Amino acid sequence: MNLVDRFGRPLRSLRISVTDRCNLRCQYCMPEPEYVWLPREDVLSFEEISTLADAFIDEGVDRIRITGGEPLLRRNLPILIESLAAKKRIADLALTTNGLLLKTHAAALKSAGLHRVTVSLDTLHRDRFRALTGSSDHDAVLAGIDAAAAAGFTPLKLDTVVIRGVNDDELIPLIDFARRVDAEVRFIEYMDVGGATRWSPAAVVPRAEMLETIGRHFGGVIPLGGQGSAPAERFLLPDGRTFGIIASTTHPFCSDCDRARLTADGIWLLCLYASAGTDLRRPLRAGATLEEIRQLIHTVWSLRADRGAEERLGLDRQTTLIPVRALKKDAHLEMHTRGG
Ligand code: SAM
């Protein structure tokens, strides 16, 4: 019988963070002046990641997404991609990147067997990009998007975190931009995850408001339905274009969540909002067999009852999820360590 958790949710997708380092300092993710990093010796080798992936695959995973931090900062990433792409039961192998280094790596990632790329793009304005991310290299992201398309990663996905007063006037320009680069844009509601220390309820632009703005401009939107366990709801515009909305804050999708998250140092999280996870690095380095790790994964998933975003929805959220002093004590609480 297929493995399911206490709410009947299967284990299907695995997000692997390959580094906690990032070359941007996005205000919604890493706004603090300083961070505590994972000890380098704890970061899993590609061989260790591949072994853990095998154990997850044995328990039902058939989709893997590589993330970070910024995954393209991890040296020789195509080597890992090649070993994951060779696993026969993986139906979907994707990467989420901020795009800064994509121009350099797109072709090698494609040759290594990566199926899909998602680029985070929050603004089309250079000055806003600088204010939002601390980097003046907006052109590099745009060049990365072009390079990904040229390497054959089409259609691309673009992820935009929508923040009131920051980029909520760019919904229409981003849909237009996505069409020009053969991409589909997905608007993400700003979430109060660990690390989002500047979050406030007022900064969230709810799905309903985004749909109203987009529908008014284009003359209506049609929900496409059938999203399954995918977080984005997709919509069709009268001119045939599509876009997505990930309403993680106002309409959480915990009941369909089939995701496991592995941090760069091998901590396995059952939920983006979890306060702790299961250490898989220790048993692996202590010589546990693949079968023992598979059994551990089986037991932990079968006891899973997390529904973090739904629980947050029920709270009176006037403050951020995790205070800065707690983040300083445990980097695993940070979104950039969990991989988003
Ligand atoms: N560096 C890569 C990137 O920028 O895509 C991968 C890691 S990043 C943590 C993964 C995703 O998390 C990005 O799409 C980012 O926009 C999203 N993210 C980070 N903080 C968020 C927040 N507070 N609310 C919503 N999405 C967030």
Side-chain angles (χ1 to χ4, degrees):
M1 215 181 86
N2 283 347
L3 171 64
V4 290
D5 71 6
R6 284 214 211 153
F7 295 145
R9 299 170 295 187
L11 171 56
R12 295 284 309 278
S13 39
L14 174 65
R15 296 174 76 97
I16 303 174
S17 170
V18 292
T19 179
D20 58 331
R21 310 282 167 142
C22 195
N23 43 5
L24 292 183
R25 288 291 177 272
C26 299
Q27 284 296 307
Y28 53 78
C29 188
M30 301 184 75
E32 299 301 319
E34 280 176 24
Y35 284 93
V36 177
W37 305 106
L38 299 176
R40 274 182 192 270
E41 64 275 17
D42 288 355
V43 172
L44 300 180
S45 67
F46 288 163
E47 211 178 359
E48 290 171 323
I49 292 175
S50 176
T51 303
L52 291 181
D54 284 335
F56 278 102
I57 290 168
D58 281 348
E59 286 302 317
V61 162
D62 64 359
R63 293 182 214 131
I64 292 182
R65 179 172 290 275
I66 302 298
T67 179
E70 172 46 41
L72 297 184
L73 287 177
R74 180 79 188 246
R75 220 173 293 155
N76 300 323
L77 190 66
I79 294 176
L80 175 67
I81 298 294
E82 210 167 311
S83 86
L84 296 175
K87 298 186 192 296
K88 295 211 165 35
R89 278 183 278 167
I90 291 303
D92 184 33
L93 180 60
L95 171 103
T96 300
T97 172
N98 61 32
L100 270 184
L101 302 172
L102 194 51
K103 186 175 175 193
T104 314
H105 297 292
L109 292 166
K110 186 71 184 173
S111 321
L114 184 69
H115 302 166
R116 296 191 298 119
V117 172
T118 301
V119 182
S120 297
L121 179 71
D122 300 315
T123 178
L124 296 170
H125 301 293
R126 220 178 273 163
D127 52 339
R128 272 190 194 173
F129 182 78
R130 194 177 310 118
L132 191 61
T133 68
S135 160
S136 44
D137 239 352
H138 190 244
D139 288 349
V141 178
L142 300 183
I145 290 171
D146 286 343
F153 289 113
T154 47
L156 268 180
K157 276 191 186 148
L158 303 177
D159 276 0
T160 303
V161 180
V162 182
I163 304 178
R164 191 178 304 286
V166 174
N167 61 350
D168 54 338
D169 58 347
E170 291 195 59
L171 302 181
I172 312 302
L174 280 161
I175 290 175
D176 287 338
F177 173 81
R179 193 228 288 266
R180 289 202 299 279
V181 296
D182 197 5
E184 181 174 285
V185 64
R186 308 187 310 169
F187 299 113
I188 307 175
E189 287 180 352
Y190 190 8
M191 298 167 70
D192 64 336
V193 285
T197 51
R198 306 280 191 272
W199 185 91
S200 75
V204 178
V205 180
R207 174 181 71 180
E209 193 179 324
M210 293 192 221
L211 286 176
E212 156 72 20
T213 306
I214 296 168
R216 204 179 328 116
H217 181 87
F218 289 105
V221 297
I222 301 161
L224 284 171
Q227 67 191 52
S229 63
E233 293 164 87
R234 296 179 68 234
F235 299 89
L236 181 67
L237 294 169
D239 64 4
R241 277 182 286 172
T242 53
F243 66 95
I245 294 187
I246 303 182
S248 355
T249 300
T250 64
H251 293 79
F253 30 84
C254 302
S255 56
D256 289 322
C257 180
D258 60 4
R259 294 180 172 187
R261 296 185 151 80
L262 191 64
T263 63
D265 62 343
I267 304 297
W268 170 32
L269 298 158
L270 298 174
C271 175
L272 200 47
Y273 288 90
S275 55
T278 304
D279 188 346
L280 298 181
R281 182 186 76 249
R282 262 176 220 282
L284 185 67
R285 290 193 177 168
T289 61
L290 186 62
E291 173 55 23
E292 284 165 338
I293 291 175
R294 190 196 61 71
Q295 190 55 54
L296 175 61
I297 291 170
H298 189 97
T299 305
V300 172
W301 189 268
S302 58
L303 294 172
R304 177 186 189 238
D306 298 62
R307 34 187 288 281
E310 285 176 1
E311 280 164 8
R312 290 296 292 161
L313 191 62
L315 300 176
D316 176 22
R317 290 182 285 188
Q318 295 310 321
T319 55
T320 49
L321 173 67
I322 301 169
V324 177
R325 62 179 182 285
L327 294 169
K328 293 246 177 287
K329 281 199 197 123
D330 186 1
H332 296 102
L333 297 169
E334 299 269 9
M335 179 72 153
H336 69 267
T337 308
R338 306 190 152 193

